[in-house]
Amino acid sequence: MNLTQLKGMFVADGCTKLYAKPLAANDNSKNQVYFGPDFNALNLFPNTGIFADSSPKNPIFKARLQFSWMQAKGEVVEAPNAQLILYPQYPEVRFSGFLLGCKAAPSELMAGRMEGRILFFGVTATRSVIGFVVEAKSEIAAEYRALSLEPTDGVFTELSLPSILSGVDSRDKLLAELHRIHEKGWIDSKQLDSHRQLKPCNAPQCGGFTLEAELGIPKNSDAEPDFLGWEVKQYGVEDFDRIESAKAITLMTPEPTGGYYKEHNAEAFVRKFGYADKMGRADRMNFGGRHFVGKRCPPTGLTMRLNGYDAGTGKILDADGAIELVSDSGEVAAEWAFGKILEHWSHKHTKAVYVPSQCRTDPQRQYSYGNKVRLAQKTDSLRLLRAFANGGVYYDPGIKLENVSIGAPKTKKRSQFRVASRDITALYETVETVQV
């Protein structure tokens, strides 16, 4: 078998991405396979959820994979115990459990200490991962070495697949769509509902909904990246020539995983930590205000902290730690477990496009989108936590409770983490301004 035939087998098994990693002697089932000196591997290989599995002296996270080994004729056999292990104290990621419980695993190659082996990983559209390993003397290994490829993603090299060689890649397609939208000029405010029906939209957040509708993205869609693997973020600007501004961009809106909010509910949370509406709207309470790490937020009296994270070293010390909102008395009002934040960030934000917009309301609400956008790539969750610690990312909720005094109060939940447009460079390895 040669490399071209191997690529064809990955395509036949539904793979849309293919990565390769030359293996060192220590890359084996006993020592685990080294996946890099950061958490970047989480962006490449989909997992079924990140969870803490550690002791006080050994904080680690684990992430299960839907992993299978491909056989010589292309069929795949499940490896049910395959997982990524994240060691935040270093930090690094390793691959483990890939032989255990698999009836047709390449045990001889993956249990040994041979130099020159090449391990290939295919990623499918259904978020599964397929592996194939070859020995150093194989035709495939010789052909791969002859290419003299440099790693493109940490310790991995991405290889092109036959099914997409002749097609337009996701970046080109995205930019072409954003060019089309820019050329339309002013666009009536709208949203695409979950049934893919266009509806009018008349609220401050409609700039994002209008852009998503133009891209064919339904409102309240699933947790996948928005468009061909790219997360789409819109934000307002006054001048399309000055797109790096202090305007806030909402990065994500995860619900708390613990604290008073989780133990009770959003209504009880607002009643305890919220305040009467400052615009005088009757029978309404709000919970809002910018919450920065280490700074007390006057409207709520809460302080955000990173429990289990050392800002000095940039490392997670406690895998059971969390982003917390804490009262003056030390009560945890709400928290977001590190594992869930890592999972959400690595799943959605591997690649993101930040699109500037302008809004007008006369004669009706309309939006226009700029001719320059920013493409952001290569992030990991430790960059996100550093940005929290440095004050670049903050919690800015928009939670409200209406009909407070009657028997059927109405709660609107919106826990949002935000960043100023000018500060997104702290979250990614590369941020490129591109003309559409």
Side-chain angles (χ1 to χ4, degrees), residues 14-148:
C15 295
T16 59
K17 294 280 188 179
L18 180 62
Y19 301 95
K21 181 189 185 296
L23 298 182
N26 281 342
D27 285 326
N28 54 44
S29 57
K30 180 180 179 179
N31 299 300
Q32 306 170 346
V33 177
Y34 181 66
F35 267 28
D38 50 34
F39 290 174
N40 181 62
L42 292 174
N43 302 332
L44 305 182
F45 305 114
N47 61 77
T48 61
I50 299 173
F51 58 95
D53 185 10
S54 59
S55 66
K57 294 184 179 180
N58 186 30
I60 63 172
F61 297 98
K62 292 183 177 180
R64 300 284 188 186
L65 303 182
Q66 293 180 318
F67 182 80
S68 301
W69 286 107
M70 186 167 67
Q71 308 302 296
K73 293 184 178 180
E75 68 273 21
V76 296
V77 179
E78 181 184 9
N81 296 291
Q83 61 186 353
L84 300 181
I85 302 182
L86 289 65
Y87 296 94
Q89 66 269 39
Y90 301 127
E92 67 180 35
V93 176
R94 289 184 177 267
F95 183 39
S96 175
F98 44 80
L99 300 183
L100 183 63
C102 181
K103 298 178 181 178
S107 300
E108 183 176 348
L109 284 175
M110 292 306 299
R113 294 178 55 84
M114 298 84 79
E115 295 276 2
R117 298 161 294 159
I118 310 293
L119 182 57
F120 297 90
F121 292 96
V123 181
T124 74
T126 56
R127 295 180 55 77
S128 63
V129 181
I130 299 173
F132 189 83
V133 62
V134 297
E135 63 180 348
K137 296 180 180 179
S138 68
E139 180 180 350
I140 291 174
E143 189 177 352
Y144 179 83
R145 288 193 295 269
L147 295 174
S148 300

Side-chain angles (χ1 to χ4, degrees), residues 338-359:
F338 284 158
K340 288 299 181 182
I341 292 296
L342 267 60
E343 179 182 330
H344 182 96
W345 186 252
S346 63
H347 183 33
K348 288 272 283 183
H349 291 269
T350 304
K351 298 187 296 185
V353 58
Y354 291 84
V355 183
S357 72
Q358 293 180 351
C359 175

Side-chain angles (χ1 to χ4, degrees), residues 186-207:
W186 291 103
I187 301 171
D188 289 348
S189 182
K190 58 190 175 183
Q191 56 188 313
L192 191 65
D193 70 14
S194 58
H195 301 291
R196 306 192 74 84
Q197 299 295 313
L198 279 175
K199 293 183 177 179
C201 189
N202 191 29
Q205 66 268 31
C206 291

Side-chain angles (χ1 to χ4, degrees), residues 267-343:
E267 178 188 340
F269 174 81
V270 175
R271 288 186 184 276
K272 183 169 184 177
F273 298 105
Y275 48 86
D277 183 78
K278 294 182 178 180
M279 296 180 65
R281 287 169 287 199
D283 223 20
R284 170 171 160 167
M285 293 183 69
N286 297 329
F287 182 86
R290 295 184 176 187
H291 296 72
F292 293 88
V293 168
K295 296 182 180 180
R296 187 178 187 274
C297 181
T300 66
L302 300 179
T303 301
M304 188 163 69
R305 70 182 184 188
L306 302 179
N307 184 15
Y309 175 81
D310 186 333
T313 62
K315 294 180 179 180
I316 296 173
L317 303 181
D318 183 358
D320 290 312
I323 301 169
E324 298 178 342
L325 293 181
V326 184
S327 70
D328 293 339
S329 65
E331 181 179 10
V332 178
E335 70 174 25
W336 294 262
F338 284 158
K340 288 299 181 182
I341 292 296
L342 267 60
E343 179 182 330

